[in-house]
Amino acid sequence: MASKFKVLVFDLGGVLLDWDRHSINAVSPGQFLTIMNSTTWHSLDRGNVTLKEACKTCKKRQTRLRHEKAFGYILDADPSVVETAMYQAQLSLRPKTSLVQTMQDIKASKPDLKLYVMSNISREHFEMVQNIQLPWSIFDRVFASGVEGMRKPDLCFFQHVIKEAGVHPSEIIMIDDTAENVCAARSQGMHAILVDKLLPSVSGILLNLLHDPLQRAEAFLKDNARNHYCVVEGHKEIRIKDNFAQLMIWELTDDEDIIFLKWPCGKMHGIHPSENGHLNGHSNVQPNGHFDGNAFVASDVKNGLWNYFFEAPVLTTAEFPPDADTTSTAYLSLPERYLSTVPDVRLVLDKMTTNLDLDGIMQTYFDPTRPRTTPEVCCNILRVFHKFGFGSDSRIKKTEDYIVNCLHHNACLNGNRHYSTPESFLYFVARLYAETRSESLRKRLNAIKEKLQERLNVPTNPLALALRLFACQSVDIEPQLYRKDLETLMSLQDEDGGWPIGHFCCFGRTGARIGNRGLTTALAVRILQREKQHA
């Protein structure tokens, strides 16, 4: 996808250069701020007065602008003190290496892109700034206010730059750290980005505007192949290797080369024993020095039941049983060519229909000591029954009724024991709605559209937002309704092409929330692919 932008315009101070206010000791921070907001400072910016004239102690400078007071008079300070403060400010300037590097990378990948500097800076300070180690030769033009006789946010200054650029203002991106300058740029039709530590990374925004977000996301998944671990909030030091997220990523991408798995029989995919002696924070090396690839493997229903964990359980009990959620996701995710290598799905479905709670609803764990019933898990169980042609099985009726009631009554609005967001439930219901061939079930689940629309534009974490958008697309909600959410998701793409971790599920015992950058990114890829198809 080609970018429409032809010119980037960078501010200096606060954008390409950082300055340290605390390095100024000749005057107080408040005093320095006072002179920065004076009309004399504006005249200095425009080159209407020299630095020495601006720093005088006289009430009115000896210029044609008789109404302005010099800095020395404003602060009741000796001119030399004010000049020292200005000099200290300039000496504190340092390049913002991350953004400078991004700028250089962009120029290298797009050599025809023009790079400009547009800065409010006096003639004297501009001469000093040119000694700072910035890649000055990369810029096609520098617009210094003291030289041009105009300053931001004067509209004439922006109009001057647009005219000199020789392109339509909509083809220009301006990057500035002042809101009023950004406002002025936008009023002239330019695309402007505000630099603010509370806002998304400028480097990331630029990369998204100038490069195809989809290609960058796909590259992230491949560049980090088999390293898409889960992370738990509050336990960032632990990288969880689980089967569940890997299976979801496989189903979304159809790329087995980017995931790792531990099959119920103990066979490993995507990882060699020599690569890991410590998984999930536990050692799996036997006394003889060999990696125990069969550790924690339990033979259940002839090895047809999957465990959430790739290896040793963490942040839960030492013994962790196989579960219906991971098992269902495996049968939903495995490509056709793999289904002949796993136990017959009917064996697994029969096991699920006998693993019931007191209400006759299919449970989460294949373990009588863990009686848990989870709506999202029930959704995935039903998805397997419908995928393999057993949607009319009378044994799943109570589970189906349970899911329908949960949907209609917003049962999962606050998540539940094993899932941390309402989007998780809505995502799995949407998948069931889209996949089933049963018109009667689709009719019963038709409320999914209304429930998703109620969640649109509600703030949430990146992974939940991706689940919401994917679900909206799955049930054919009109794109204009989720446009704002899509824009929010796009703004969250990181500089490396991936998306933030977020969270969607949690540990039942502690409530600690679990997320996965690879999963968030895989969802985003599918969302972007669909948007591209329907553009």
Side-chain angles (χ1 to χ4, degrees):
M1 181 170 58
S3 168
K4 69 175 183 178
F5 298 107
K6 298 178 181 178
V7 178
L8 299 187
V9 181
F10 293 90
D11 187 16
L12 286 176
V15 177
L16 294 178
L17 299 173
D18 261 334
W19 70 288
D20 182 8
R21 296 174 186 268
H22 301 291
S23 67
I24 304 171
N25 55 34
V27 299
S28 71
Q31 288 177 312
F32 199 80
L33 188 61
T34 296
I35 63 173
M36 283 184 67
N37 284 280
S38 69
T39 54
T40 304
W41 185 283
H42 297 174
S43 291
L44 180 62
D45 275 347
R46 294 190 181 99
N48 294 331
V49 59
T50 66
L51 180 58
K52 281 193 173 293
E53 288 176 321
C55 293
K56 286 181 179 180
T57 54
C58 59
K59 183 175 181 180
K60 296 184 179 180
R61 294 184 294 96
Q62 301 303 311
T63 70
R64 66 179 184 274
L65 301 175
R66 300 287 181 181
H67 61 284
E68 294 176 0
K69 299 174 182 178
F71 299 150
Y73 179 84
I74 294 172
L75 302 181
D76 191 21
D78 188 272
S80 63
V81 172
V82 183
E83 287 187 47
T84 298
M86 303 283 277
Y87 185 66
Q88 289 173 337
Q90 291 296 317
L91 286 180
S92 74
L93 289 170
R94 297 289 184 275
K96 296 178 74 169
T97 55
S98 177
L99 183 54
V100 171
Q101 185 61 57
T102 298
M103 178 182 69
Q104 291 177 299
D105 292 343
I106 288 173
K107 182 64 174 179
S109 64
K110 293 181 172 292
D112 292 334
L113 188 69
K114 302 293 184 181
L115 302 186
Y116 293 165
V117 166
M118 181 186 185
S119 179
N120 286 346
I121 188 168
S122 68
R123 289 175 179 269
E124 295 92 335
H125 290 156
F126 181 52
E127 290 178 7
M128 293 173 61
V129 162
Q130 291 180 79
N131 293 319
I132 295 176
Q133 294 301 309
L134 278 178
W136 292 104
S137 62
I138 203 173
F139 298 112
D140 296 277
R141 179 81 181 267
V142 176
F143 296 91
S145 64
V147 176
E148 305 296 334
M150 298 170 277
R151 73 182 296 274
K152 297 176 289 185
D154 300 340
L155 297 185
C156 58
F157 197 7
F158 293 93
Q159 293 163 0
H160 173 61
V161 171
I162 292 170
K163 181 180 178 180
E164 292 298 308
V167 300
H168 193 273
S170 64
E171 297 173 319
I172 302 174
I173 300 175
M174 194 200 79
I175 304 95
D176 200 287
D177 66 327
T178 305
E180 65 176 332
N181 295 343
V182 167
C183 177
R186 289 172 179 166
S187 77
Q188 300 305 298
M190 299 167 75
H191 187 102
I193 302 171
L194 177 64
V195 178
D196 190 312
K197 62 182 179 181
L198 299 178
L199 297 176
S201 158
V202 174
S203 294
I205 295 173
L206 281 175
L207 290 170
N208 289 342
L209 289 172
L210 298 169
H211 297 286
D212 187 346
L214 177 57
Q215 291 179 0
R216 294 177 58 227
E218 291 171 335
F220 170 84
L221 290 173
K222 290 188 179 297
D223 291 344
N224 294 275
R226 297 173 178 172
N227 286 297
H228 299 297
Y229 307 108
C230 281
V231 175
V232 184
E233 284 186 345
H235 299 274
K236 296 293 180 67
E237 74 283 357
I238 299 177
R239 298 189 309 177
I240 293 184
K241 293 192 172 183
D242 73 310
N243 288 314
F244 185 64
Q246 300 304 305
L247 289 163
M248 288 186 69
I249 292 172
W250 194 358
E251 187 269 334
L252 289 165
T253 64
D254 192 29
D255 188 350
E256 63 185 87
D257 293 330
I258 66 173
I259 63 157
F260 55 82
L261 281 178
K262 181 81 160 287
W263 300 74
C265 64
K267 179 180 69 174
M268 291 189 296
H269 168 85
I271 189 168
H272 190 274
S274 62
E275 295 179 18
N276 247 312
H278 294 267
L279 299 176
N280 289 351
H282 294 263
S283 175
N284 299 296
V285 180
Q286 297 180 1
N288 61 8
H290 294 295
F291 183 82
D292 183 8
N294 292 310
F296 314 108
V297 173
S299 179
D300 299 277
V301 194
K302 298 181 181 177
N303 291 332
L305 305 184
W306 288 67
N307 197 295
Y308 172 83
F309 289 103
F310 179 92
E311 281 294 349
V314 293
L315 304 177
T316 184
T317 57
E319 297 294 328
F320 199 82
D323 65 272
D325 209 9
T326 309
T327 300
S328 296
T329 304
Y331 279 90
L332 290 166
S333 303
L334 292 176
E336 190 70 30
R337 62 185 179 277
Y338 276 95
L339 291 177
S340 62
T341 68
V342 297
D344 192 312
V345 68
R346 289 172 294 187
L347 192 66
V348 173
L349 298 182
D350 287 342
K351 177 67 175 178
M352 291 177 174
T353 58
T354 59
N355 185 38
L356 307 176
D357 66 9
L358 295 177
D359 298 307
I361 300 169
M362 290 180 279
Q363 298 188 98
T364 300
Y365 295 106
F366 297 108
D367 183 348
T369 69
R370 267 184 162 88
R372 308 279 188 267
T373 304
T374 311
E376 293 86 349
V377 180
C378 289
C379 278
N380 286 330
I381 293 173
L382 292 176
R383 289 175 63 199
V384 179
F385 272 87
H386 282 264
K387 174 180 179 177
F388 289 94
F390 301 102
S392 60
D393 192 319
S394 61
R395 296 174 296 177
I396 67 174
K397 182 65 169 59
K398 289 185 177 180
T399 301
E400 182 181 303
D401 292 342
Y402 174 57
I403 291 304
V404 171
N405 286 333
C406 285
L407 176 64
H408 282 267
H409 300 296
N410 293 320
C412 298
L413 191 58
N414 300 111
N416 53 64
R417 183 180 176 90
H418 293 105
Y419 281 90
S420 57
T421 73
E423 275 75 18
S424 302
F425 176 69
L426 296 176
Y427 170 81
F428 293 125
V429 172
R431 298 299 302 266
L432 175 59
Y433 175 90
E435 294 163 0
T436 183
R437 294 185 291 274
S438 169
E439 288 302 320
S440 62
L441 178 57
R442 284 174 63 90
K443 186 175 181 179
R444 299 187 74 194
L445 296 177
N446 195 55
I448 182 62
K449 298 181 181 180
E450 174 190 346
K451 301 303 179 183
L452 280 169
Q453 290 183 51
E454 290 173 358
R455 291 293 299 169
L456 291 177
N457 304 325
V458 176
T460 189
N461 74 83
L463 179 45
L465 181 60
L467 291 170
R468 180 194 299 170
L469 285 164
F470 191 103
C472 286
Q473 291 179 333
S474 297
V475 300
D476 295 325
I477 287 179
E478 288 297 321
Q480 63 266 26
L481 296 179
Y482 60 77
R483 186 60 50 197
K484 185 176 180 180
D485 273 347
L486 180 61
E487 291 173 355
T488 299
L489 182 70
M490 295 305 302
S491 73
L492 296 175
Q493 188 173 20
D494 287 329
E495 293 179 34
D496 61 6
W499 264 262
I501 298 168
H503 61 84
F504 77 118
C505 60
C506 51
F507 283 105
R509 290 191 167 215
T510 64
R513 300 183 298 194
I514 306 170
N516 187 300
R517 286 195 75 197
L519 178 56
T520 310
T521 305
L523 284 162
V525 165
R526 285 287 299 274
I527 292 165
L528 292 174
Q529 287 173 339
R530 178 152 183 167
E531 289 298 305
K532 192 173 183 178
Q533 290 170 0
H534 292 81

